[in-house]
Amino acid sequence: MSEATAGTTFPCPGCGAPEMAFDAPSQQMKCPYCGHTAPVPPRQQAPAPAQQAPQGETAEGGQPAPQAPAPVGAHQERSLQEGLQQQAQRAGQGYGTPVQTMKCQTCGATVSFAGTEVSKNCDFCGSQHVLEQESHRRVITPQSLVPFGVDEAKAKESFKSWLGGLWFRPSDLKKKARVGAINGVYIPYWTFDAQVYSQWRAEAGHYYYEQEAYTDSSGQKKTRQVKKTRWEPAAGQRQDVHDDVLIVASQGLSRDIAHRLSTFDTSKLVPYDPQYLAGWRAEEYAVELQDAWQEAQQRIEAEQRNRCAGDVPGDTQRGLQVQNQFSGETFKHVLLPLWIASYRYGGKPYQFLVNGQTGEVKGEAPLSWVKIILFILTIVAIIAAIVIATR
Ligand SMILES: [Zn+2]
Ligand SMILES: [Zn+2]
């Protein structure tokens, strides 16, 4: 057991029970024994916590900090340079609350538990090969999170109605699907903001038409319109702002699923408070800040290229070259809520996920080939009927 296991993080003032947990429906701390509730205090903007460097601080080497004053609260961004430096020094403060951390030996996900309960199986892949880990990796503290708004009962309800709304599934699927373990896990993301100044040059093509004389196969002289392109050099510049470019930092979720689930409303972020984690799990980020920034940069550059292409005049273009200058890059480490679960049908397991903010469901479900074949046969019959009727 690590020293971080002293689980009396948020004792109940009502009954003295060791652990209150964050309750999704009421958005408050709630005691599971006596029902006592307490609000999660909104963290004050000033003074800034120790891990958030105050504004105006000078960076290493006496250079003035390059950032403009950051916006307040949950939306407070942090300078990328400062973050990368901090990352290098491993100066993160972690979750700000004692956690137990388990690492899955199968899929590699690292999940922290802010409470006494620890699962024996991996939340992501179900593997039993989970090992307790000393939390000496000093991770960057999350700036903000979207608290769970969907509780377990509502997540299951969303799942059932999702299952009922699917096409071409076995008729007894909704009745017989047996939901197994369902876990609320905060998934780590990085979000980036940046201003980009893009200079581009290209050749802009303008179409014009010329009459061309030709001789057709029977030897007759004719004329026709031929499209030609006049190429002209073109250049331009533009200034764009990219806000909340979201990069998933999870190890346990597949890229594909994580991308399909990135429908979170980041305007609902609240400042991070360890109390939100009480009774829940949080996956530790597996993608480092630097790598995430590279991915964000690539995404932003691709977007800028598209925008510049749209600026090139004329009917067509070639040889587009874009030079981007980034400035005011800031980042946030955020946690977004997700229910991870599986169900069994016909002896086979299927995974599904419920967005803990919106209740949106993504998942796998068995297909009914009988229904699909019947549907195809029906379509074929209808087409045949139409063909016969119109003869
Ligand atoms: Zn209590
Ligand atoms: Zn796993």
Side-chain angles (χ1 to χ4, degrees):
M1 285 279 162
S2 67
E3 72 263 54
T5 5
T8 56
T9 330
F10 304 110
C12 173
C15 71
E19 200 87 37
M20 291 177 85
F22 180 74
D23 179 54
S26 66
Q27 297 285 294
Q28 288 189 321
M29 296 297 281
K30 194 172 177 182
C31 173
Y33 302 99
C34 73
H36 180 89
T37 60
V40 178
R43 181 161 286 185
Q44 295 305 307
Q45 165 60 13
Q51 70 271 23
Q52 296 185 346
Q55 294 305 321
E57 190 198 53
T58 53
E60 303 262 301
Q63 299 293 317
Q67 293 317 303
V72 294
H75 303 281
Q76 178 170 2
E77 317 280 347
R78 294 164 64 187
S79 138
L80 191 63
Q81 268 144 342
E82 173 205 323
L84 289 172
Q85 240 168 53
Q86 194 189 65
Q87 184 103 339
Q89 295 160 1
R90 292 264 177 249
Q93 304 288 314
Y95 292 111
T97 184
V99 292
Q100 294 186 69
T101 299
M102 311 294 283
K103 187 174 171 83
C104 172
Q105 304 302 296
T106 304
C107 75
T110 305
V111 176
S112 296
F113 301 79
T116 45
E117 161 231 33
V118 166
S119 71
K120 299 275 178 288
N121 298 73
C122 172
D123 292 334
F124 292 94
C125 70
S127 162
Q128 294 187 332
H129 296 276
V130 287
L131 289 183
E132 187 168 341
Q133 245 197 354
E134 295 287 331
S135 298
H136 45 55
R137 181 177 175 233
R138 309 194 66 188
V139 293
I140 289 181
T141 307
Q143 264 77 49
S144 47
L145 53 67
V146 171
F148 269 92
V150 172
D151 66 358
E152 185 173 333
K154 218 176 138 209
K156 284 181 172 168
E157 219 178 275
S158 302
F159 166 68
K160 285 280 174 184
S161 57
W162 171 79
L163 215 50
L166 295 174
W167 285 45
F168 304 129
R169 309 297 164 165
S171 307
D172 59 353
L173 179 59
K174 197 174 164 184
K175 217 169 76 194
K176 289 206 176 146
R178 301 191 54 130
V179 177
I182 177 161
N183 297 309
V185 183
Y186 282 104
I187 303 293
Y189 285 80
W190 300 104
T191 80
F192 297 94
D193 290 358
Q195 287 167 31
V196 188
Y197 173 66
S198 301
Q199 286 176 296
W200 58 263
R201 44 182 71 251
E203 279 187 277
H206 301 269
Y207 294 148
Y208 63 97
Y209 294 86
E210 270 183 358
Q211 293 268 334
E212 191 183 77
Y214 70 103
T215 313
D216 74 1
S217 53
S218 56
Q220 281 202 301
K221 289 201 185 298
K222 289 189 170 172
T223 59
R224 62 184 167 194
Q225 293 271 324
V226 180
K227 188 169 88 178
K228 301 256 170 136
T229 309
R230 187 181 73 246
W231 292 103
E232 280 178 354
Q237 58 196 33
R238 56 179 299 138
Q239 176 89 40
D240 290 281
V241 174
H242 291 260
D243 193 31
D244 283 347
V245 178
L246 209 55
I247 304 290
V248 65
S250 170
Q251 173 78 44
L253 285 185
S254 79
R255 290 252 114 184
D256 176 49
I257 284 185
H259 198 73
R260 284 164 65 203
L261 265 161
S262 294
T263 52
F264 293 96
D265 179 4
T266 51
S267 70
K268 299 287 193 301
L269 286 166
V270 300
Y272 175 75
D273 189 296
Q275 294 194 51
Y276 289 115
L277 255 56
W280 303 83
R281 299 119 188 258
E283 189 194 355
E284 210 172 82
Y285 59 82
V287 177
E288 297 291 332
L289 177 58
Q290 184 130 28
D291 299 330
W293 168 237
Q294 261 171 25
E295 194 182 330
Q297 224 171 347
Q298 279 167 14
R299 215 193 280 177
I300 291 170
E301 278 175 347
E303 175 65 28
Q304 286 306 106
R305 195 177 165 80
N306 277 337
R307 291 179 184 180
C308 291
D311 289 351
V312 179
D315 306 305
T316 183
Q317 57 184 262
R318 66 185 183 193
L320 175 66
Q321 286 185 318
V322 180
Q323 279 201 323
N324 296 308
Q325 244 179 293
F326 285 75
S327 63
E329 304 100 319
T330 59
F331 78 97
K332 282 185 304 203
H333 172 27
V334 304
L335 301 175
L336 300 176
L338 197 65
W339 285 99
I340 301 170
S342 62
Y343 67 97
R344 295 187 81 83
Y345 173 82
K348 275 183 72 181
Y350 298 89
Q351 201 189 35
F352 71 94
L353 304 159
V354 183
N355 184 316
Q357 180 183 27
T358 63
E360 184 194 9
V361 181
K362 300 268 190 226
E364 310 165 331
L367 287 165
S368 164
W369 290 105
V370 173
K371 284 189 183 178
I372 291 171
I373 289 165
L374 280 177
F375 177 77
I376 293 169
L377 289 178
T378 310
I379 297 285
V380 169
I382 290 169
I383 292 170
I386 292 170
V387 168
I388 288 164
T390 53
R391 271 235 285 241

